[in-house]
mmCIF file of all heavy atoms in Angstrom:
data_model
loop_
_atom_site.group_PDB
_atom_site.id
_atom_site.type_symbol
_atom_site.label_atom_id
_atom_site.label_comp_id
_atom_site.label_asym_id
_atom_site.label_seq_id
_atom_site.Cartn_x
_atom_site.Cartn_y
_atom_site.Cartn_z
ATOM 1 N N ASN A 190 -57.322 141.441 -51.262
ATOM 2 C CA ASN A 190 -56.779 140.549 -52.293
ATOM 3 C C ASN A 190 -57.744 139.432 -52.655
ATOM 4 O O ASN A 190 -57.400 138.520 -53.414
ATOM 5 C CB ASN A 190 -55.461 139.946 -51.821
ATOM 6 C CG ASN A 190 -54.385 140.992 -51.607
ATOM 7 O OD1 ASN A 190 -54.237 141.900 -52.436
ATOM 8 N ND2 ASN A 190 -53.638 140.883 -50.516
ATOM 9 N N GLY A 191 -58.956 139.488 -52.100
ATOM 10 C CA GLY A 191 -59.939 138.457 -52.400
ATOM 11 C C GLY A 191 -59.743 137.169 -51.637
ATOM 12 O O GLY A 191 -60.321 136.131 -51.992
ATOM 13 N N VAL A 192 -58.943 137.219 -50.551
ATOM 14 C CA VAL A 192 -58.670 136.027 -49.748
ATOM 15 C C VAL A 192 -59.625 135.992 -48.558
ATOM 16 O O VAL A 192 -59.798 137.021 -47.879
ATOM 17 C CB VAL A 192 -57.203 136.019 -49.257
ATOM 18 C CG1 VAL A 192 -56.943 134.807 -48.360
ATOM 19 C CG2 VAL A 192 -56.253 136.027 -50.443
ATOM 20 N N PRO A 193 -60.267 134.865 -48.270
ATOM 21 C CA PRO A 193 -61.180 134.781 -47.117
ATOM 22 C C PRO A 193 -60.466 135.126 -45.810
ATOM 23 O O PRO A 193 -59.336 134.705 -45.571
ATOM 24 C CB PRO A 193 -61.645 133.334 -47.134
ATOM 25 C CG PRO A 193 -61.501 132.909 -48.567
ATOM 26 C CD PRO A 193 -60.283 133.627 -49.066
ATOM 27 N N VAL A 194 -61.134 135.908 -44.977
ATOM 28 C CA VAL A 194 -60.560 136.354 -43.710
ATOM 29 C C VAL A 194 -60.902 135.346 -42.611
ATOM 30 O O VAL A 194 -62.037 134.873 -42.513
ATOM 31 C CB VAL A 194 -61.101 137.749 -43.331
ATOM 32 C CG1 VAL A 194 -60.597 138.183 -41.963
ATOM 33 C CG2 VAL A 194 -60.711 138.762 -44.404
ATOM 34 N N ARG A 195 -59.921 135.050 -41.762
ATOM 35 C CA ARG A 195 -60.121 134.153 -40.621
ATOM 36 C C ARG A 195 -59.912 134.931 -39.327
ATOM 37 O O ARG A 195 -59.146 135.898 -39.270
ATOM 38 C CB ARG A 195 -59.158 132.965 -40.669
ATOM 39 C CG ARG A 195 -59.369 132.037 -41.870
ATOM 40 C CD ARG A 195 -58.333 130.914 -41.868
ATOM 41 N NE ARG A 195 -58.434 130.060 -43.028
ATOM 42 C CZ ARG A 195 -59.062 128.878 -43.060
ATOM 43 N NH1 ARG A 195 -59.669 128.444 -41.966
ATOM 44 N NH2 ARG A 195 -59.091 128.150 -44.157
ATOM 45 N N ASP A 196 -60.591 134.474 -38.265
ATOM 46 C CA ASP A 196 -60.412 135.131 -36.967
ATOM 47 C C ASP A 196 -59.230 134.525 -36.222
ATOM 48 O O ASP A 196 -58.480 133.702 -36.777
ATOM 49 C CB ASP A 196 -61.692 135.048 -36.139
ATOM 50 C CG ASP A 196 -62.100 133.619 -35.802
ATOM 51 O OD1 ASP A 196 -61.255 132.701 -35.917
ATOM 52 O OD2 ASP A 196 -63.274 133.409 -35.418
ATOM 53 N N ALA A 197 -59.049 134.908 -34.952
ATOM 54 C CA ALA A 197 -57.890 134.475 -34.181
ATOM 55 C C ALA A 197 -57.869 132.970 -33.938
ATOM 56 O O ALA A 197 -56.817 132.400 -33.642
ATOM 57 C CB ALA A 197 -57.850 135.212 -32.838
ATOM 58 N N SER A 198 -59.032 132.316 -34.053
ATOM 59 C CA SER A 198 -59.104 130.866 -33.847
ATOM 60 C C SER A 198 -59.001 130.084 -35.148
ATOM 61 O O SER A 198 -59.095 128.850 -35.133
ATOM 62 C CB SER A 198 -60.422 130.500 -33.141
ATOM 63 O OG SER A 198 -60.485 131.106 -31.867
ATOM 64 N N GLY A 199 -58.834 130.791 -36.270
ATOM 65 C CA GLY A 199 -58.709 130.119 -37.553
ATOM 66 C C GLY A 199 -60.026 129.890 -38.260
ATOM 67 O O GLY A 199 -60.069 129.222 -39.303
ATOM 68 N N ARG A 200 -61.124 130.459 -37.759
ATOM 69 C CA ARG A 200 -62.427 130.295 -38.391
ATOM 70 C C ARG A 200 -62.668 131.403 -39.414
ATOM 71 O O ARG A 200 -62.211 132.538 -39.238
ATOM 72 C CB ARG A 200 -63.547 130.331 -37.345
ATOM 73 C CG ARG A 200 -63.479 129.232 -36.298
ATOM 74 C CD ARG A 200 -64.685 129.331 -35.381
ATOM 75 N NE ARG A 200 -64.741 128.258 -34.404
ATOM 76 C CZ ARG A 200 -64.397 128.385 -33.126
ATOM 77 N NH1 ARG A 200 -63.964 129.564 -32.684
ATOM 78 N NH2 ARG A 200 -64.481 127.362 -32.305
ATOM 79 N N PHE A 201 -63.429 131.100 -40.463
ATOM 80 C CA PHE A 201 -63.817 132.115 -41.429
ATOM 81 C C PHE A 201 -64.755 133.130 -40.768
ATOM 82 O O PHE A 201 -65.626 132.765 -39.982
ATOM 83 C CB PHE A 201 -64.527 131.493 -42.628
ATOM 84 C CG PHE A 201 -63.626 130.670 -43.515
ATOM 85 C CD1 PHE A 201 -63.898 129.331 -43.763
ATOM 86 C CD2 PHE A 201 -62.508 131.241 -44.107
ATOM 87 C CE1 PHE A 201 -63.083 128.576 -44.579
ATOM 88 C CE2 PHE A 201 -61.669 130.488 -44.919
ATOM 89 C CZ PHE A 201 -61.953 129.149 -45.156
ATOM 90 N N VAL A 202 -64.578 134.388 -41.118
ATOM 91 C CA VAL A 202 -65.447 135.459 -40.630
ATOM 92 C C VAL A 202 -66.632 135.590 -41.584
ATOM 93 O O VAL A 202 -66.458 135.706 -42.802
ATOM 94 C CB VAL A 202 -64.690 136.791 -40.527
ATOM 95 C CG1 VAL A 202 -65.633 137.905 -40.074
ATOM 96 C CG2 VAL A 202 -63.504 136.663 -39.579
ATOM 97 N N THR A 203 -67.852 135.566 -41.051
ATOM 98 C CA THR A 203 -69.063 135.563 -41.867
ATOM 99 C C THR A 203 -69.362 136.959 -42.433
ATOM 100 O O THR A 203 -69.323 137.949 -41.710
ATOM 101 C CB THR A 203 -70.275 135.097 -41.043
ATOM 102 O OG1 THR A 203 -69.973 133.833 -40.460
ATOM 103 C CG2 THR A 203 -71.514 134.986 -41.907
ATOM 104 N N ASP A 204 -69.658 137.010 -43.717
ATOM 105 C CA ASP A 204 -70.109 138.246 -44.355
ATOM 106 C C ASP A 204 -71.632 138.276 -44.282
ATOM 107 O O ASP A 204 -72.331 137.650 -45.091
ATOM 108 C CB ASP A 204 -69.631 138.297 -45.807
ATOM 109 C CG ASP A 204 -69.944 139.633 -46.478
ATOM 110 O OD1 ASP A 204 -70.729 140.422 -45.897
ATOM 111 O OD2 ASP A 204 -69.423 139.883 -47.576
ATOM 112 N N LYS A 205 -72.192 138.994 -43.311
ATOM 113 C CA LYS A 205 -73.635 139.021 -43.087
ATOM 114 C C LYS A 205 -74.402 139.677 -44.225
ATOM 115 O O LYS A 205 -75.618 139.511 -44.343
ATOM 116 C CB LYS A 205 -73.933 139.768 -41.781
ATOM 117 C CG LYS A 205 -73.383 139.118 -40.525
ATOM 118 C CD LYS A 205 -74.146 137.864 -40.170
ATOM 119 C CE LYS A 205 -73.715 137.321 -38.822
ATOM 120 N NZ LYS A 205 -74.507 136.117 -38.442
ATOM 121 N N SER A 206 -73.699 140.436 -45.071
ATOM 122 C CA SER A 206 -74.392 141.144 -46.153
ATOM 123 C C SER A 206 -74.683 140.246 -47.343
ATOM 124 O O SER A 206 -75.449 140.630 -48.235
ATOM 125 C CB SER A 206 -73.555 142.341 -46.614
ATOM 126 O OG SER A 206 -72.334 141.905 -47.199
ATOM 127 N N THR A 207 -74.100 139.068 -47.406
ATOM 128 C CA THR A 207 -74.306 138.170 -48.537
ATOM 129 C C THR A 207 -75.488 137.237 -48.274
ATOM 130 O O THR A 207 -75.767 136.876 -47.124
ATOM 131 C CB THR A 207 -73.053 137.330 -48.816
ATOM 132 O OG1 THR A 207 -72.758 136.523 -47.669
ATOM 133 C CG2 THR A 207 -71.866 138.225 -49.115
ATOM 134 N N PRO A 208 -76.198 136.825 -49.310
ATOM 135 C CA PRO A 208 -77.310 135.871 -49.132
ATOM 136 C C PRO A 208 -76.764 134.458 -48.922
ATOM 137 O O PRO A 208 -75.610 134.164 -49.252
ATOM 138 C CB PRO A 208 -78.081 135.975 -50.447
ATOM 139 C CG PRO A 208 -77.027 136.333 -51.448
ATOM 140 C CD PRO A 208 -76.056 137.237 -50.726
ATOM 141 N N ARG A 209 -77.609 133.594 -48.364
ATOM 142 C CA ARG A 209 -77.214 132.192 -48.257
ATOM 143 C C ARG A 209 -77.180 131.560 -49.644
ATOM 144 O O ARG A 209 -78.069 131.759 -50.461
ATOM 145 C CB ARG A 209 -78.198 131.398 -47.381
ATOM 146 C CG ARG A 209 -78.032 131.627 -45.899
ATOM 147 C CD ARG A 209 -78.776 130.537 -45.118
ATOM 148 N NE ARG A 209 -78.708 130.820 -43.686
ATOM 149 C CZ ARG A 209 -79.583 131.540 -43.030
ATOM 150 N NH1 ARG A 209 -80.622 132.064 -43.688
ATOM 151 N NH2 ARG A 209 -79.460 131.749 -41.741
ATOM 152 N N LYS A 210 -76.143 130.782 -49.881
ATOM 153 C CA LYS A 210 -76.005 130.033 -51.119
ATOM 154 C C LYS A 210 -76.160 128.556 -50.820
ATOM 155 O O LYS A 210 -75.723 128.075 -49.780
ATOM 156 C CB LYS A 210 -74.641 130.309 -51.754
ATOM 157 C CG LYS A 210 -74.422 131.758 -52.143
ATOM 158 C CD LYS A 210 -73.021 131.984 -52.701
ATOM 159 C CE LYS A 210 -72.810 133.448 -53.106
ATOM 160 N NZ LYS A 210 -71.425 133.674 -53.612
ATOM 161 N N LEU A 211 -76.773 127.828 -51.729
ATOM 162 C CA LEU A 211 -77.063 126.422 -51.502
ATOM 163 C C LEU A 211 -75.810 125.568 -51.688
ATOM 164 O O LEU A 211 -75.122 125.646 -52.717
ATOM 165 C CB LEU A 211 -78.159 125.943 -52.448
ATOM 166 C CG LEU A 211 -79.570 126.477 -52.169
ATOM 167 C CD1 LEU A 211 -80.544 125.973 -53.225
ATOM 168 C CD2 LEU A 211 -80.029 126.059 -50.779
ATOM 169 N N ALA A 212 -75.539 124.742 -50.684
ATOM 170 C CA ALA A 212 -74.468 123.755 -50.789
ATOM 171 C C ALA A 212 -75.020 122.395 -51.182
ATOM 172 O O ALA A 212 -74.294 121.553 -51.723
ATOM 173 C CB ALA A 212 -73.728 123.647 -49.453
ATOM 174 N N PHE A 213 -76.310 122.183 -50.887
ATOM 175 C CA PHE A 213 -76.955 120.917 -51.241
ATOM 176 C C PHE A 213 -78.449 121.172 -51.324
ATOM 177 O O PHE A 213 -79.017 121.885 -50.490
ATOM 178 C CB PHE A 213 -76.660 119.853 -50.176
ATOM 179 C CG PHE A 213 -77.220 118.491 -50.501
ATOM 180 C CD1 PHE A 213 -76.520 117.615 -51.311
ATOM 181 C CD2 PHE A 213 -78.444 118.087 -49.995
ATOM 182 C CE1 PHE A 213 -77.030 116.358 -51.614
ATOM 183 C CE2 PHE A 213 -78.967 116.840 -50.287
ATOM 184 C CZ PHE A 213 -78.255 115.969 -51.105
ATOM 185 N N ASP A 214 -79.093 120.595 -52.333
ATOM 186 C CA ASP A 214 -80.535 120.809 -52.519
ATOM 187 C C ASP A 214 -81.109 119.601 -53.234
ATOM 188 O O ASP A 214 -80.671 119.249 -54.333
ATOM 189 C CB ASP A 214 -80.777 122.077 -53.349
ATOM 190 C CG ASP A 214 -82.258 122.380 -53.509
ATOM 191 O OD1 ASP A 214 -83.064 121.851 -52.722
ATOM 192 O OD2 ASP A 214 -82.600 123.162 -54.424
ATOM 193 N N THR A 215 -82.053 118.935 -52.584
ATOM 194 C CA THR A 215 -82.704 117.800 -53.209
ATOM 195 C C THR A 215 -84.149 117.719 -52.744
ATOM 196 O O THR A 215 -84.458 118.049 -51.597
ATOM 197 C CB THR A 215 -81.979 116.476 -52.879
ATOM 198 O OG1 THR A 215 -82.607 115.398 -53.592
ATOM 199 C CG2 THR A 215 -82.041 116.168 -51.399
ATOM 200 N N ASP A 216 -85.045 117.324 -53.629
ATOM 201 C CA ASP A 216 -86.416 117.023 -53.245
ATOM 202 C C ASP A 216 -86.970 116.055 -54.267
ATOM 203 O O ASP A 216 -86.652 116.133 -55.448
ATOM 204 C CB ASP A 216 -87.274 118.287 -53.146
ATOM 205 C CG ASP A 216 -87.541 118.918 -54.497
ATOM 206 O OD1 ASP A 216 -86.597 119.539 -55.047
ATOM 207 O OD2 ASP A 216 -88.658 118.788 -54.999
ATOM 208 N N GLY A 217 -87.784 115.138 -53.786
ATOM 209 C CA GLY A 217 -88.355 114.159 -54.689
ATOM 210 C C GLY A 217 -88.561 112.818 -54.033
ATOM 211 O O GLY A 217 -88.557 112.685 -52.801
ATOM 212 N N LEU A 218 -88.746 111.817 -54.867
ATOM 213 C CA LEU A 218 -89.080 110.468 -54.420
ATOM 214 C C LEU A 218 -87.897 109.804 -53.724
ATOM 215 O O LEU A 218 -86.753 109.926 -54.172
ATOM 216 C CB LEU A 218 -89.504 109.626 -55.622
ATOM 217 C CG LEU A 218 -89.959 108.194 -55.346
ATOM 218 C CD1 LEU A 218 -91.314 108.188 -54.654
ATOM 219 C CD2 LEU A 218 -90.015 107.402 -56.665
ATOM 220 N N ILE A 219 -88.172 109.111 -52.628
ATOM 221 C CA ILE A 219 -87.185 108.266 -51.969
ATOM 222 C C ILE A 219 -87.778 106.867 -51.817
ATOM 223 O O ILE A 219 -89.000 106.698 -51.740
ATOM 224 C CB ILE A 219 -86.777 108.804 -50.586
ATOM 225 C CG1 ILE A 219 -88.000 108.937 -49.665
ATOM 226 C CG2 ILE A 219 -86.060 110.138 -50.723
ATOM 227 C CD1 ILE A 219 -87.648 109.326 -48.239
ATOM 228 N N TRP A 220 -86.924 105.854 -51.801
ATOM 229 C CA TRP A 220 -87.399 104.490 -51.630
ATOM 230 C C TRP A 220 -86.280 103.623 -51.090
ATOM 231 O O TRP A 220 -85.099 103.971 -51.184
ATOM 232 C CB TRP A 220 -87.924 103.905 -52.949
ATOM 233 C CG TRP A 220 -86.877 103.784 -54.020
ATOM 234 C CD1 TRP A 220 -86.588 104.697 -54.990
ATOM 235 C CD2 TRP A 220 -85.976 102.681 -54.219
ATOM 236 N NE1 TRP A 220 -85.554 104.253 -55.776
ATOM 237 C CE2 TRP A 220 -85.170 103.011 -55.336
ATOM 238 C CE3 TRP A 220 -85.757 101.464 -53.588
ATOM 239 C CZ2 TRP A 220 -84.165 102.156 -55.818
ATOM 240 C CZ3 TRP A 220 -84.765 100.602 -54.052
ATOM 241 C CH2 TRP A 220 -83.994 100.955 -55.163
ATOM 242 N N ASP A 221 -86.644 102.521 -50.505
ATOM 243 C CA ASP A 221 -85.662 101.511 -50.137
ATOM 244 C C ASP A 221 -86.351 100.156 -50.070
ATOM 245 O O ASP A 221 -87.578 100.054 -49.924
ATOM 246 C CB ASP A 221 -84.950 101.835 -48.818
ATOM 247 C CG ASP A 221 -85.894 102.000 -47.654
ATOM 248 O OD1 ASP A 221 -86.656 101.061 -47.354
ATOM 249 O OD2 ASP A 221 -85.867 103.073 -47.022
ATOM 250 N N ALA A 222 -85.573 99.113 -50.220
ATOM 251 C CA ALA A 222 -86.069 97.742 -50.152
ATOM 252 C C ALA A 222 -84.984 96.876 -49.523
ATOM 253 O O ALA A 222 -83.787 97.150 -49.664
ATOM 254 C CB ALA A 222 -86.429 97.225 -51.545
ATOM 255 N N GLY A 223 -85.414 95.833 -48.822
ATOM 256 C CA GLY A 223 -84.418 95.002 -48.172
ATOM 257 C C GLY A 223 -85.022 93.755 -47.568
ATOM 258 O O GLY A 223 -86.169 93.388 -47.833
ATOM 259 N N VAL A 224 -84.222 93.128 -46.738
ATOM 260 C CA VAL A 224 -84.608 91.872 -46.111
ATOM 261 C C VAL A 224 -84.162 91.888 -44.665
ATOM 262 O O VAL A 224 -83.145 92.504 -44.312
ATOM 263 C CB VAL A 224 -83.988 90.671 -46.869
ATOM 264 C CG1 VAL A 224 -82.465 90.744 -46.834
ATOM 265 C CG2 VAL A 224 -84.487 89.352 -46.305
ATOM 266 N N MET A 225 -84.942 91.234 -43.809
ATOM 267 C CA MET A 225 -84.600 91.104 -42.397
ATOM 268 C C MET A 225 -84.650 89.630 -42.012
ATOM 269 O O MET A 225 -85.614 88.930 -42.334
ATOM 270 C CB MET A 225 -85.575 91.914 -41.545
ATOM 271 C CG MET A 225 -85.112 92.132 -40.113
ATOM 272 S SD MET A 225 -85.533 90.792 -39.035
ATOM 273 C CE MET A 225 -84.967 91.464 -37.478
ATOM 274 N N TRP A 226 -83.587 89.170 -41.365
ATOM 275 C CA TRP A 226 -83.472 87.777 -40.933
ATOM 276 C C TRP A 226 -83.274 87.736 -39.431
ATOM 277 O O TRP A 226 -82.370 88.370 -38.907
ATOM 278 C CB TRP A 226 -82.306 87.112 -41.647
ATOM 279 C CG TRP A 226 -82.017 85.703 -41.187
ATOM 280 C CD1 TRP A 226 -82.846 84.622 -41.255
ATOM 281 C CD2 TRP A 226 -80.796 85.234 -40.616
ATOM 282 N NE1 TRP A 226 -82.230 83.503 -40.760
ATOM 283 C CE2 TRP A 226 -80.964 83.847 -40.344
ATOM 284 C CE3 TRP A 226 -79.580 85.854 -40.301
ATOM 285 C CZ2 TRP A 226 -79.949 83.073 -39.789
ATOM 286 C CZ3 TRP A 226 -78.573 85.069 -39.736
ATOM 287 C CH2 TRP A 226 -78.764 83.702 -39.487
ATOM 288 N N GLN A 227 -84.141 87.002 -38.730
ATOM 289 C CA GLN A 227 -84.040 86.892 -37.283
ATOM 290 C C GLN A 227 -84.289 85.436 -36.870
ATOM 291 O O GLN A 227 -85.399 85.038 -36.534
ATOM 292 C CB GLN A 227 -85.050 87.811 -36.584
ATOM 293 C CG GLN A 227 -84.807 87.897 -35.083
ATOM 294 C CD GLN A 227 -85.763 88.855 -34.414
ATOM 295 O OE1 GLN A 227 -86.941 88.883 -34.748
ATOM 296 N NE2 GLN A 227 -85.266 89.640 -33.472
#
């Protein structure tokens, strides 16, 4: 029925035949600026 299958512990069963799909992807410049008081 197209419903994800779970095992006896309630976890999703992995389909090893499918490729990995990206859940998050970033690359590029990072920066930060701030102040320190002691």
Side-chain angles (χ1 to χ4, degrees):
N190 297 317
V192 177
V194 176
R195 296 178 184 262
D196 62 17
S198 298
R200 299 183 176 102
F201 290 122
V202 178
T203 306
D204 186 348
K205 297 288 187 178
S206 65
T207 61
R209 283 195 185 90
K210 298 177 179 178
L211 289 177
F213 183 84
D214 183 19
T215 184
D216 70 286
L218 183 71
I219 58 174
W220 63 267
D221 58 58
V224 61
M225 195 275 185
W226 175 61
Q227 190 177 41

